[in-house]
């Protein structure tokens, strides 16, 4: 097992990465009160719920099971109400802990429940997808979706611990694994040129589920994200760089209906659009934009968005949470491994970038 730390003063927390960490009661014990609610879905529950429940009970907590449907559609008011209703029925108090067992959807839903239940209680992240292990479980972003935009209702609420068990990736469907690779690629392309180069050498190993390669990808992604979260917890500056590809990607998800495109698939196409935009702005060399496209393609991810007009995507991007002073703000690349914010982007260039990505 390897452990990292997200440094946020009194709200600092560990990230434990390794095989079998979900079974280790001593990793839960420091963060538990008398009771814990395990929030999971109908796919992950049969695989890991019993193991997590045993570990929680061994750590001295009463464990309550809350199982919701699988899929992005779960991130809404009805399922949030269902989770909170189950917690009230079980008489869980403010000294209880929510345990989020699943991928990014479960982490977001359970985390937002923890942020709002009785004005906020503790929670632990147990990410079981690659996307959640490398990205969404770290940093305290919690949310549900709105019909007009993804993650529009939420809160910053840091977990008490993250337990990333790499053996859970063995049961991950291939499509979900590839979707997680999009966030791994994002970390390299936006933040770390050496990591991006390693990904170019190792992408086939990752797609093939090489355990050593996956463990390195999880560890390095968490290191990069933890450093940025420690410097800019609430995304007032540097943390926004982690949204490379997401302005385009969230518009794709909203336009197609949540769940039709997986989050990582939408981000993958969004990264290609963002790289093309960076080249059109004269900030990124054309061959480096091609490197982004090739890496996304080799990961088995889409390089172009769905059959939507550029105007429709631009309309949806105007509602993006990262908009500032009435202008859509984009994360662009000055080079591989060096992202920057741009809020003075001509709409014509954005339209050209969307078209270029599809060619």
């Amino acid at each position: 097992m390897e452990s990292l730390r997200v440094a946020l003063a009194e709200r600092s927390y560990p990230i434990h990465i390794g095989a079998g960490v979900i079974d280790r009661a001593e990793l839960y014990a420091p963060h538990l009160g008398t009771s814990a609610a395990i929030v999971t879905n109908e796919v992950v529950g049969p695989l890991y719920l019993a193991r997590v429940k045993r570990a929680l009970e061994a750590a001295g907590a009463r464990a309550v099971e809350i199982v919701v449907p699988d899929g992005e559609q779960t991130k809404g008011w009805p399922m949030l109400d269902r989770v909170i209703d189950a917690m009230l029925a079980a008489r869980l108090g403010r000294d209880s802990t929510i345990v989020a067992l699943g991928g990014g959807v479960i982490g977001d839903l359970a985390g937002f429940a923890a942020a709002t239940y009785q004005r906020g209680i503790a929670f632990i992240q147990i990410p079981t997808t690659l996307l959640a292990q490398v990205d969404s479980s770290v940093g305290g972003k919690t949310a549900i979706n709105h019909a007009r935009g993804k993650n529009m209702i939420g809160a910053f609420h840091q977990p008490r611990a993250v337990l990333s068990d790499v053996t859970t990736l063995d049961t991950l469907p291939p499509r979900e694994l590839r979707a997680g690779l999009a966030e791994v690629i994002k970390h390299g392309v936006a933040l770390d040129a050496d990591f991006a180069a390693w990904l170019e050498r190792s992408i086939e190993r990752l797609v093939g589920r090489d355990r050593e390669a996956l463990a390195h990808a999880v560890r390095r992604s968490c290191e990069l994200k933890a450093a940025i979260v420690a410097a800019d917890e609430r995304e007032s500056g540097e943390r926004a760089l982690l949204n490379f590809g997401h302005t385009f990607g969230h518009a794709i998800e909203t336009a197609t209906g949540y769940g039709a495109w997986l989050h990582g698939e939408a981000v993958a196409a969004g990264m290609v659009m963002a790289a093309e935009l960076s080249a059109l702005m004269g900030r990124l060399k054309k061959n480096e934009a091609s490197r982004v496209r090739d890496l996304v393609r080799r990961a088995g991810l889409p390089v172009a968005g769905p059959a939507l007009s550029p105007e429709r995507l631009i309309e949806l991007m105007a509602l993006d949470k990262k908009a500032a002073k009435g202008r859509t703000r984009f994360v662009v690349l000055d080079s591989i491994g060096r992202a920057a914010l741009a809020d003075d982007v001509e709409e014509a260039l954005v339209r050209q970038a969307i078209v270029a990505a599809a060619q």
Side-chain angles (χ1 to χ4, degrees):
M1 183 183 77
E2 296 185 75
S3 297
L4 311 173
R5 193 159 189 82
V6 181
L8 290 169
E10 73 279 358
R11 290 174 296 105
S12 298
Y13 56 92
I15 306 170
H16 301 301
I17 304 167
V21 297
I22 63 173
D23 299 310
R24 295 177 59 171
E26 74 273 15
L27 300 180
Y28 299 89
H31 315 293
L32 296 175
T34 57
S35 302
I38 309 167
V39 180
T40 190
N41 66 36
E42 295 165 348
V43 174
V44 176
L47 297 170
Y48 305 113
L49 178 56
R51 290 169 60 184
V52 172
K53 186 175 184 179
R54 278 197 300 272
L56 290 169
E57 290 174 343
R62 174 175 70 102
V64 175
E65 303 175 14
I66 303 175
V67 181
V68 299
D70 184 37
E72 187 75 25
Q73 297 88 344
T74 297
K75 275 177 58 173
W77 286 116
M79 286 303 140
L80 178 67
D81 186 66
R82 179 166 154 180
V83 169
I84 290 175
D85 185 68
M87 294 175 66
L88 289 170
R91 298 183 181 276
L92 298 184
R94 295 186 70 182
D95 62 343
S96 301
T97 301
I98 289 182
V99 178
L101 173 63
V105 169
I106 288 295
D108 276 0
L109 175 69
F112 189 46
T116 53
Y117 184 74
Q118 298 189 6
R119 296 194 174 96
I121 64 172
F123 86 112
I124 296 170
Q125 287 270 23
I126 308 180
T128 60
T129 67
L130 182 60
L131 188 147
Q133 289 188 7
V134 302
D135 189 68
S136 62
S137 66
V138 178
K141 284 186 176 182
T142 73
I144 57 175
N145 297 329
H146 187 277
R148 292 181 179 270
K150 185 178 172 72
N151 296 333
M152 285 294 175
I153 307 157
F156 287 96
H157 189 61
Q158 298 296 339
R160 296 294 176 88
V162 180
L163 278 60
S164 287
D165 194 323
V166 294
T167 65
T168 63
L169 303 181
D170 294 342
T171 58
L172 199 61
R175 185 184 177 195
E176 292 278 359
L177 183 79
R178 292 193 297 269
L181 288 174
E183 295 286 2
V184 177
I185 291 169
K186 176 201 73 177
H187 285 121
V189 167
L191 302 174
D192 186 342
D194 289 340
F195 186 40
W198 179 85
L199 288 171
E200 289 175 313
R201 297 191 303 270
S202 308
I203 194 66
E204 283 75 22
R205 291 174 60 201
L206 292 167
V207 173
R209 300 176 190 260
D210 180 277
R211 181 71 62 79
E212 182 182 357
L214 284 170
H216 177 72
V218 172
R219 181 177 64 253
R220 185 59 185 144
S221 294
C222 287
E223 287 173 348
L224 290 166
K225 184 161 188 180
I228 281 193
V229 170
D232 178 23
E233 180 184 4
R234 291 184 171 265
E235 204 172 293
S236 58
E238 185 181 9
R239 185 169 179 177
L241 300 180
L242 292 170
N243 291 312
F244 177 67
H246 284 61
T247 301
F248 291 101
H250 284 172
I252 290 171
E253 289 183 90
T254 303
T256 57
Y258 300 120
W261 278 56
L262 296 180
H263 176 67
E265 293 169 338
V267 167
M271 288 191 293
V272 177
M273 294 176 188
E276 293 289 349
L277 177 62
S278 304
L280 287 166
M281 294 173 68
R283 302 182 69 142
L284 183 69
K285 294 177 181 177
K286 186 62 179 176
N287 71 306
E288 292 196 315
S290 296
R291 284 176 60 191
V292 175
R293 178 190 291 265
D294 289 344
L295 187 54
V296 167
R297 176 186 53 78
R298 288 169 59 201
L301 289 161
V303 297
L308 295 166
S309 70
E311 287 71 25
R312 176 59 175 152
L313 289 179
I314 290 169
E315 175 189 359
L316 289 169
M317 285 189 284
L319 300 173
D320 191 84
K321 301 183 301 302
K322 298 173 288 299
K325 298 180 180 178
R327 298 180 66 91
T328 303
R329 189 165 58 163
F330 293 89
V331 183
V332 296
L333 296 178
D334 288 331
S335 63
I336 296 290
R338 191 157 63 93
L341 295 174
D343 57 8
D344 56 349
V345 183
E346 296 177 21
E347 187 173 301
L349 291 181
V350 177
R351 188 177 294 106
Q352 290 177 48
I354 295 169
V355 172
Q359 294 176 346

